[in-house]
Amino acid sequence: MKCIHCDEEARAVCQFCGRAVCREHLREKPFVSGFSGKMGFWNMNQNAVVVDDAVWCGSCHPQYETTS
Ligand SMILES: [Zn+2]
Ligand SMILES: [Zn+2]
C-alpha cells in the first residue's frame, strides 16, 4: 500500500479514515478509543479513554464531540 501524500511505501494506517501514510507524512492526534466505567451516558465525557498518539493521515477531519 502506498502513502496518500506521496509514492512511498506506507508505514501506518489512519485511525480515523483508514488511509495509508508513510512515516514522513504520519501525523498524531488524540483519539477517543472507548469508554471506561459504568456510570451511565451522562458521564461519558469523564469516562472517555483518549489515546494521545493515534495515527492520523493529516487529511481527514475527525470529529470528537458529537453529543451536546
Ligand atoms: Zn508520504
Ligand atoms: Zn485520515
Side-chain angles (χ1 to χ4, degrees):
M1 204 184 298
K2 302 287 195 225
C3 171
I4 63 162
H5 296 286
C6 65
D7 280 335
E8 294 296 313
E9 198 64 30
R11 295 281 180 218
V13 171
C14 175
Q15 297 287 295
F16 304 98
C17 68
R19 282 182 276 208
V21 280
C22 70
R23 184 162 50 181
E24 191 177 328
H25 290 113
L26 186 86
R27 298 291 182 269
E28 291 179 352
K29 215 172 172 53
F31 177 60
V32 180
S33 66
F35 300 99
S36 63
K38 311 170 195 165
M39 298 300 288
F41 64 91
W42 54 85
N43 278 327
M44 266 165 58
N45 285 340
Q46 284 80 4
N47 291 329
V49 176
V50 178
V51 179
D52 282 332
D53 59 350
V55 174
W56 178 44
C57 66
S59 290
C60 65
H61 301 282
Q63 297 188 349
Y64 301 112
E65 296 291 334
T66 54
T67 56
S68 57

